[in-house]
C-alpha cells in the first residue's frame, strides 16, 4: 500500500478489514479461502452487521486488494453477496445565518479552522494538513495536496479570512522559531521527501498551518510537531452547534456542504463548484442541487395559494 501511495487512513481501514475477515473465518489464512468465503463475509456485514453500502464496498475493496496485490491470487466475480442498501440522502446544510451563529460560538484556532472549512470548502483533514507553502495570500488561493483520491486541487482563500489567517501564521512562526531554538522544529514530511531534502523538515514553508500544541519525540531523538488533532475541532464545533440552539445534525463536514450549496444559490455553475470541491464526477456535486428545488423556490405549496 505504501508503494502505491495509499493514504494512512486507507492503510488502517484495509488492515482492519483483513483482520475482521480472518477472524470471521476462524483465523484461517486467507490463502486457504476464496470467493465463497469472501461472499459469506460481505453478506454477514450487511445482514448481521447492518453496515452501509459504502462500508460494505470498502470491505470488498480491501479484500480484493489483499488477494490481487498481496497474495497474487485474484478472486473472480464474487457472486451471491447480500448487498447493503444504499439510501439516497441529502446533505445537512446550514443557512448563512446558522453558519455565522455557529462560528460566533467558537473561539481560537478551532474557530479559524471552521471558518476555512466554510470559506474554502475544505474537508477537515485537508485543512489541518495544510502547509505554510500551500497558502497563497497574494493570489488568494489555497492548494490542497493529496486530497481525497490522492488528488491536488486549488480552491479560494476568502478575503474575509485572509487577515485573520495571516495574523495567526505570525504566531505560528514565532512558535516555530522557539522550537528551532530548543533543538526541535521539524515537521513530518510525506513519503521519502525527508531523505531527498534533509533540511525541509525544519523549513518554515513545510510547517503545518495548524500545528499541535505538543511536540513528540521520535525513537531517533528528533522532536517533531504534528498538525492539530481532528477531535479538537470536532468537539468545538459540536459544542457551538448545541449552544446555538440549531436542531440540525451539523458537523465539521456540514461547513463544506454549506459552502457548495451557497455557491449554487449565488448562481455559480456546477462545474466550477465541482472543481473547487475536488469531485471526480459531477454527479457527486449534483447532490447539492436539492436546495434549488425546495418549496418556496421552484415549487409553491398549495397551502400558500389563496
Amino acid at each position: 500500500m505504501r508503494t502505491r501511495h495509499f493514504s494512512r487512513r486507507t492503510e488502517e481501514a484495509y488492515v482492519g478489514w483483513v483482520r475482521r475477515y480472518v477472524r470471521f473465518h476462524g483465523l484461517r489464512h486467507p490463502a486457504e479461502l476464496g470467493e465463497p468465503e469472501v461472499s459469506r463475509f460481505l453478506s454477514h456485514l450487511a445482514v448481521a452487521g447492518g453496515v452501509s453500502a459504502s462500508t460494505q464496498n470498502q470491505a470488498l475493496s480491501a479484500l480484493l486488494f489483499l488477494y490481487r496485490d498481496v497474495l497474487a491470487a485474484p478472486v473472480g466475480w464474487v457472486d451471491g453477496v447480500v448487498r447493503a442498501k444504499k439510501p439516497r440522502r441529502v446533505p445537512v446544510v446550514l443557512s448563512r445565518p446558522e453558519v455565522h451563529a455557529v462560528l460566533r460560538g467558537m473561539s481560537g484556532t478551532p474557530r479559524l479552522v471552521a471558518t476555512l472549512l466554510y470559506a474554502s470548502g475544505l474537508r477537515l483533514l485537508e485543512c489541518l494538513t495544510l502547509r505554510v507553502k500551500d497558502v497563497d495570500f497574494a493570489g488568494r488561493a489555497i492548494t490542497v495536496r493529496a486530497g481525497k483520491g490522492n488528488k491536488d486541487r486549488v480552491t479560494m482563500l476568502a478575503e474575509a479570512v485572509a487577515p485573520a489567517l495571516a495574523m495567526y501564521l505570525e504566531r505560528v512562526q514565532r512558535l516555530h522559531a522557539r522550537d528551532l531554538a530548543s533543538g526541535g522544529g521539524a515537521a513530518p514530511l510525506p513519503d521519502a521527501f525527508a531523505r531527498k531534502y534533509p533540511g525541509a523538515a525544519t523549513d518554515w514553508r513545510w510547517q503545518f498551518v495548524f500545528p499541535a500544541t505538543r511536540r513528540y519525540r521520535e525513537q531517533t531523538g528528533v522532536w517533531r510537531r504534528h498538525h492539530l488533532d481532528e477531535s479538537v475541532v470536532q468537539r468545538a464545533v459540536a459544542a457551538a452547534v448545541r449552544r446555538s440552539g440549531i436542531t440540525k445534525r451539523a458537523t465539521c463536514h456540514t461547513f463544506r456542504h454549506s459552502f457548495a450549496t451557497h455557491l449554487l444559490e449565488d448562481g455559480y455553475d456546477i462545474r466550477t463548484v465541482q472543481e473547487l470541491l475536488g469531485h471526480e464526477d459531477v454527479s457527486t456535486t449534483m447532490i447539492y442541487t436539492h436546495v434549488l428545488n425546495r418549496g418556496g423556490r421552484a415549487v409553491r405549496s398549495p397551502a400558500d395559494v389563496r
Side-chain angles (χ1 to χ4, degrees), residues 267-280:
Y268 290 97
D269 67 274
I270 198 162
R271 290 288 183 181
T272 299
V273 178
Q274 176 191 1
E275 289 185 11
L276 292 172
L277 292 175
H279 288 160
E280 186 171 353

Side-chain angles (χ1 to χ4, degrees), residues 2-306:
R2 294 280 169 86
T3 61
R4 287 161 175 77
H5 303 288
F6 284 16
S7 71
R8 283 297 176 91
R9 287 195 164 188
T10 302
E11 286 183 17
E12 294 168 359
Y14 277 23
V15 169
W17 283 121
V18 171
R19 284 200 181 106
R20 289 180 63 174
Y21 174 66
V22 170
R23 287 170 181 158
F24 178 77
H25 289 294
L27 300 182
R28 293 171 61 193
H29 194 282
E32 302 173 6
L33 309 173
E35 295 167 28
E37 288 78 16
V38 171
S39 178
R40 283 204 301 275
F41 175 67
L42 295 175
S43 296
H44 169 78
L45 291 178
V47 177
V51 302
S52 66
S54 59
T55 300
Q56 189 186 46
N57 287 335
Q58 185 187 64
L60 174 60
S61 297
L63 296 180
L64 292 178
F65 179 83
L66 169 70
Y67 281 101
R68 182 185 64 237
D69 297 288
V70 180
L71 300 177
V75 296
W77 181 257
V78 182
D79 292 319
V81 177
V82 178
R83 306 297 294 187
K85 293 183 179 179
K86 188 174 183 178
R88 184 178 182 276
R89 302 190 187 280
V90 294
V92 176
V93 175
L94 297 176
S95 67
R96 294 168 209 252
E98 287 172 336
V99 167
H100 296 305
V102 174
L103 293 178
R104 281 197 302 271
M106 302 178 67
S107 61
T109 302
R111 177 176 180 170
L112 183 56
V113 173
T115 304
L116 270 176
L117 299 183
Y118 174 63
S120 302
L122 300 174
R123 298 178 178 91
L124 178 57
L125 195 59
E126 289 175 345
C127 187
L128 296 180
T129 54
L130 284 175
R131 310 276 181 160
V132 173
K133 66 180 182 61
D134 298 327
V135 181
D136 180 5
F137 285 98
R140 289 293 188 261
I142 293 176
T143 302
V144 177
R145 308 285 183 183
K148 190 173 183 179
N150 200 28
K151 298 189 294 289
D152 293 356
R153 77 176 190 279
V154 178
T155 187
M156 66 187 72
L157 172 60
E159 296 282 350
V161 185
L165 183 59
M167 290 179 60
Y168 174 79
L169 281 176
E170 289 177 3
R171 298 200 303 271
V172 174
Q173 191 167 21
R174 291 195 292 270
L175 173 64
H176 178 57
R178 291 196 296 270
D179 284 348
L180 289 175
S182 62
L189 296 177
D191 301 328
F193 197 85
R195 290 196 297 273
K196 294 169 65 177
Y197 302 97
T202 55
D203 191 320
W204 164 239
R205 294 170 297 177
W206 278 94
Q207 303 309 303
F208 288 115
V209 172
F210 298 103
T213 54
R214 294 184 179 181
R215 296 184 297 173
Y216 68 95
R217 190 173 187 177
E218 292 184 337
Q219 293 181 341
T220 58
V222 176
W223 284 96
R224 297 190 185 276
R225 193 179 290 276
H226 212 268
H227 61 73
L228 188 68
D229 191 78
E230 295 164 275
S231 62
V232 175
V233 184
Q234 290 167 338
R235 287 196 297 267
V237 169
V241 171
R242 285 195 300 270
R243 287 193 296 268
S244 71
I246 295 171
T247 56
K248 296 175 182 175
R249 190 178 177 275
T251 65
C252 291
H253 207 66
T254 305
F255 289 114
R256 176 174 159 91
H257 293 324
S258 303
F259 165 84
T261 301
H262 296 166
L263 284 179
L264 290 173
E265 286 180 333
D266 290 340
Y268 290 97
D269 67 274
I270 198 162
R271 290 288 183 181
T272 299
V273 178
Q274 176 191 1
E275 289 185 11
L276 292 172
L277 292 175
H279 288 160
E280 186 171 353
D281 195 326
V282 73
S283 63
T284 307
T285 319
M286 290 290 288
I287 63 172
Y288 299 110
T289 60
H290 74 284
V291 299
L292 306 180
N293 298 314
R294 290 186 303 192
R297 292 188 182 273
V299 179
R300 192 176 184 189
S301 170
D304 294 330
V305 179
R306 300 287 182 181

